[in-house]
Amino acid sequence: MSERPIQFYFRGAIHRIEGSAPTRTLLQYLREDLHQTGTKEGCAEGDCGACTVVIGELSGGDGEEMLQLRAVNACIQFLPAIDGKALFTVEDLASDGELHPVQQALVDRHGSQCGFCTPGFAMSLFALYENQPECPERDEIDHTLSGNLCRCTGYRPIVDATRDAYALPRRPLNRQPVIAALKALAALPPLDYQGNGQRSHSPRSLAELAALRVALPDARLVAGGTDVGLWVTKQGRDLGEIIHLGAVPELKTVSIGRERLEIGAGVTLTDAFAALTAFEPNWAELARRFASTPVKNAGTLGGNVANGSPIGDSMPALIALGARIVLQHGDSLRELPLEDFYIDYQKTALQRGEFVRALRLDAPAEALRRVFRSYKVAKRLDQDISAVCAGMAVHVDGDGIIRRARIAFGGMAATPKRAVNCELALLGRPWDLNTVRHAMQVLREDYRPLADVRASSEYRLNVAGNLLQRFWLETGSTGQTPARLSQLAPVQS
Amino acid sequence: MSAPTTSLIGELIGKSIPHESARLHVSGAARYIDDLPEAAGTLHAAAGLSTCARGRIRRLDLSAVRAYPGVRCVITAVDIPGENNCGPILHDDPIIAGDEIQFYGQVIFAIAADTRDAARQAVRLAKVEYDTETPILDMDAAIAAESWVLPPFAMQRGPVDAAFANAPHHLSGTAVVGGQEHFYLEGQISYALPKDDDSLHLLCSTQHPTEMQQLVSHALGWRAHQVSVEIRRMGGGFGGKESQSAQWACLASILAVNTGKPVKIRLDRDDDMIATGKRHGFQYAWQSAFDDSGRLLGLKLDMASNCGYSADLSGPVNDRTICHIDNAYYLDAVALNSLRCKTNTVSNTAFRGFGGPQGMFVIETVLDDIARHLGRDPLAVRQANFYDVVPGARSTTPYGMVVEDNVAPALVAELAASSDYAARRAAIAEFNASSPVIKRGIALTPVKFGISFNATHYNQAGALVHVYTDGTVLVSHGGTEMGQGLYTKIRQIVAHEFGLPLADVRLSSTDTSRVANTSATAASSGADLNGKAAQNACLNIKARLAAFVAELNNAAVDAGKVRFSNGRVQAGDAYDVPFAELVMAAYRARIQLWDAGFYRTPKIHFDPLTKFGRPFFYFAYGASCSEVAIDTLTGEYRVLRVDLLHDVGRSINPALDIGQIEGGFIQGMGWLTSEELWWKTDGAQAGRLMSHAPSTYKIPTASDLPEIFNVRLYDNANVEDSIHRSKAVGEPPFMLALSVFFALRDAVASALPAGTPVQLAAPATPEAVLRALTANQDKAP
């Protein structure tokens, strides 16, 4: 690797960054260095969306489809993450004094009041507009806006404006110059960047990464930066030397077969959840409620898993499905059941020089019927961190007897953790109310949850048991299955 | 959004004109203070916050802070040249704490550095040792210690003891409601620019420029004319930038004067949420006496508010609570005790509704309990308690004001019909009977909100209108733009007066050097006060122009008949010229083309000692009907349908007014549902706010917007002579959200044995709902 500036497509040309620290955020760079102040800072932690920008990169598609445009939070993106990509900010939307349809619709629908969040909304809607030629249903609009907070409007005019934007004459982005520029950027050597005394490497192959990791075992691995970004913006931490994982294509592959799903550690949460939902349709609800769209567009499944947070939402469900984690050191790979990866609070089995390569899931044995659910309980429907997150799978034989059970929870212990006693209480028993009642009691022995800002210990214990009850009501009960709140409509009078 | 039914006046008044900055907002071109080009040499400030809730600083070692590269200036309390106070009423709010620490997160020093990053890094390096004391962290502890920021207030109206003795039914109960973080998207920011003549210009995201001017000048030991304060637009305020902007304004100004450099302070979101005040949490205990219909005969109410460590605006906030415990209901006999608790938490402050929501919350709870006790529909009980429509025996509020404009009964009846309340209530009961896990609930609640500052002297405003010789107009006024659309409405009002197109009228930023002695843009009063002041300035100029037209026509034209419309000035058949032409002629004739306007609200008076008088010019009314569903396994819920009907008088701008109604409602819903403030209660970090960022403090998102959301304006001209007979709209709709809480209560009640009291805390988080569901239940499934 040779040293070179960070380069990306911006305002119609290739833009270079030299000298800035590699942990300077894209938002700081835009606002303080380029004086492009349309993009706002609301929270500097990826939660409010005032800083939303759209990133373009080449994907596997054909023609214009090969340009993938996704909204991300500029406030927690480090500069090397933009290398080789295209950046669009709110200033890019209008052309020749004419507002973009999403902007015009926001004006027409009175979608701004104080206006501070508005550029972020415009960018999330711009990404939707580019990715979806037809106006989506309300739930997808909400999902698109799940990472944008507005404190003034109450959202109704923004949701209405989304629909109106599609009614205006269509004005798609001219993608050809962007694609051409991204192709040119792809030919650059891997990024080895130094700025303000700090060094960042962006290997472009798995072999390069593996070698670097062995050579620099103390360097900080950064993938989507949706957590590590906050270490800098909120804790003021010095991350030292950085290995940026975003340019390694082998980490971004998903292989899906009838028997096995393998997801590279660098696959974004957006893409990983699409694959997981295809593999197991009951992932859909978790995929919908996990973080926000911009966080899912930046964050990776490997990052969520490697981070090892007790409140990371992907792990309980992955553990319930028997996922295994693939770790790589140099040329050698090893594989662990995911639950064995977690040793203690913020402590994992990852060894020096090692990195997370992929997650593997196998299809269930055909002789058994597997039922699976994941439930997330939080104060807010969208973009909240779980009080309790459950992943539950039971495998039932032809006689209705539970032959395998994997029940795992987040938010209940210092790590994502299986409910071992509860599982034992299920095994070998019929999947019925009596078994569930007993398992609910036993479950209380599996955890000693904390009380914190998200929930009390007692609530977590009660809800964990009640979620097991809901699991049975939805998958084992022969009575009326209770609706999910998400499926309810108002009463008809 | 349904079409407004209010009548139109002219071409501009009553029109849904977009926000004057809408195009700038959507294109990222609207400049907030942090977006302005920085003056050369600008330094960036940051504040060091205490990590102890109560105690004294034993040792403050700032040597590492001073030594950090780029740090230019470090100040502590002793470096404040003037008064160390940023409290708006009582002088009990230190800008920088001296030795005494009163809450976790209190400013103990401040610095200015070359960059914001350097300033933020450097403040972490302070070494502080405390002699800690046991903090008072909640209202119970404050009450036990008789810890008050202001003395308790007791009031009795009517024959309370007799009412209780004679009433057929009695109930008692308790309730709590939490505080609320403003979560304006643009955090607190001030940018102080020293000038060459011992003066300073301050750009400050504030709702109260004049108060900033006063507090900054006091802090500097200067006089008011040395400080000017300017704000073009805020990224949201909601009351959080009324007094709470002062500390940062003072710090930036002190550091600027100290260094001789421009100094900007922009709080990080976490610091903002930790160090600035919030809505007051309240707790209540009451006894009610009532008849068979649920009509209240007597009420004894004790209420306590968590004011935090200092008075700030807690006095007026609690006064407004007292003036809103009646909501839309006549209280014959009421005994009230109001406690203003001093705790070791951040000092609580103004927030949309300003104590009103906490007053209405308790009376709605009292009536809801009565309805459940009697087995009656809560709406019927509410209706049984309304004030008289025609002023009569049941028309005087506990604070002595006669309700003369009561439209609550008619408005509620209209909403009950349009929302199909009765049929849906029956359908919900039917659903619940066969749905053990999911329960639905519905509630319809009214709002009556008093318009005017309780403190009479704030009810004044000024404006300055310049007509330039080309016929364009520049308007300054004392109100601030925080997104509510005040500038848009003022522009409509002025353009309407002169008969000009909107493009010919421009608003300047709000600046204390143009309009002096302004009141806070608060109490929903912005358009009422400043609109009238601006109109009065226009009338002054128009009168002069009309006299000039008469003079030009040798008195053949009656000055009183001169009309300004369609960009022209007309008088009968004899005179018809473009506005710009008349203006140029008037200028050449040395006619004054600019003028100031002033307005003070008539009829109002209020004795703050006895809490008696006519504090309000008029009332704004509204009602809301909400339908919810809860999951009894987790306590989670969704708001499925909401119908709102709200009275804005004759709307000046229906789109802006509906924006305030919808936005206020959703914000109120957040207060009562997902927005939970959570402090550590014990250990070394006792008193530390843990819900200090959007990751831990959850305001509503788009998915919380109900699937059906019907919002309509109520057809009702203001009976008082307000600006174009409109009504204030900023705060009243916030309280429409009470229907969400009472619908949740209704859903919880349906899962409990009939008649069981519902103990649902607010905010009704899923945990609070589950707690209410399981309070008296066997936990086994």
Side-chain angles (χ1 to χ4, degrees), chain B residues 643-668:
Chain B
D643 294 72
L644 306 181
L645 183 59
H646 194 77
D647 161 31
V648 297
R650 271 195 192 130
S651 178
I652 291 173
N653 185 323
L656 295 182
D657 287 346
I658 284 173
Q660 289 298 297
I661 294 165
E662 293 180 344
F665 173 84
I666 296 291
Q667 194 175 64

Side-chain angles (χ1 to χ4, degrees), chain A residues 30-307:
Chain A
L30 280 170
R31 291 184 57 82
E32 297 177 11
D33 300 348
L34 300 185
H35 308 293
Q36 298 295 300
T37 55
T39 311
K40 310 299 182 193
E41 179 185 308
C43 69
E45 62 173 41
D47 255 296
C48 80
C51 67
T52 306
V53 296
V54 168
I55 300 290
E57 55 186 314
L58 296 180
S59 70
D62 298 322
E64 299 213 328
E65 294 299 305
M66 70 192 302
L67 177 64
Q68 184 183 68
L69 293 168
R70 281 182 172 173
V72 302
N73 299 114
C75 70
I76 48 173
Q77 286 284 306
F78 296 145
L79 290 176
I82 192 76
D83 185 64
K85 298 181 183 169
L87 171 66
F88 301 89
T89 70
V90 69
E91 290 92 344
D92 291 307
L93 295 191
S95 64
D96 302 329
E98 193 184 336
L99 296 178
H100 187 276
V102 301
Q103 294 175 309
Q104 189 60 51
L106 283 167
V107 171
D108 294 344
R109 279 289 182 170
H110 310 278
S112 70
Q113 286 184 25
C114 87
F116 199 83
C117 70
T118 312
F121 275 94
M123 293 312 288
S124 284
L125 293 179
F126 167 64
L128 176 74
Y129 184 87
E130 282 293 324
N131 291 327
Q132 285 268 21
E134 302 289 331
C135 183
E137 295 293 312
R138 166 77 194 276
D139 186 62
E140 192 176 339
I141 295 173
D142 290 349
H143 191 205
T144 300
L145 300 178
S146 58
N148 292 94
L149 298 179
C150 171
R151 193 54 152 166
C152 295
T153 64
Y155 303 99
R156 143 81 135 243
I158 300 172
V159 172
D160 287 348
T162 308
R163 295 173 177 140
D164 275 15
Y166 281 92
L168 293 170
R170 187 140 185 95
R171 214 186 78 191
L173 177 73
N174 179 9
R175 296 181 169 224
Q176 286 312 327
V178 186
I179 291 169
L182 290 178
K183 283 180 174 168
L185 289 169
L188 290 171
L191 180 67
D192 175 5
Y193 176 81
Q194 198 151 290
N196 206 24
Q198 194 179 6
R199 191 154 187 185
S200 168
H201 309 267
S202 303
R204 286 201 177 183
S205 73
L206 194 60
E208 278 173 28
L209 168 63
L212 256 179
R213 188 63 184 145
V214 171
L216 303 171
D218 295 319
R220 175 65 59 189
L221 298 180
V222 178
T226 54
D227 190 46
V228 174
L230 277 69
W231 300 1
V232 174
T233 63
K234 292 296 168 179
Q235 299 168 17
R237 277 164 69 174
D238 180 353
L239 298 185
E241 197 159 0
I242 287 167
I243 300 175
H244 187 261
L245 302 173
V248 180
E250 296 94 326
L251 289 184
K252 295 183 161 189
T253 56
V254 172
S255 67
I256 187 160
R258 243 167 54 84
E259 299 300 316
R260 172 178 282 190
L261 170 66
E262 181 165 320
I263 299 174
V267 174
T268 63
L269 291 160
T270 298
D271 293 340
F273 288 170
L276 283 160
T277 303
F279 189 71
E280 166 54 71
N282 283 302
W283 259 92
E285 185 174 305
L286 182 63
R288 170 67 182 78
R289 291 197 58 195
F290 188 111
S292 66
T293 294
V295 166
K296 277 182 280 207
N297 286 341
T300 62
L301 187 63
N304 192 244
V305 165
N307 187 288

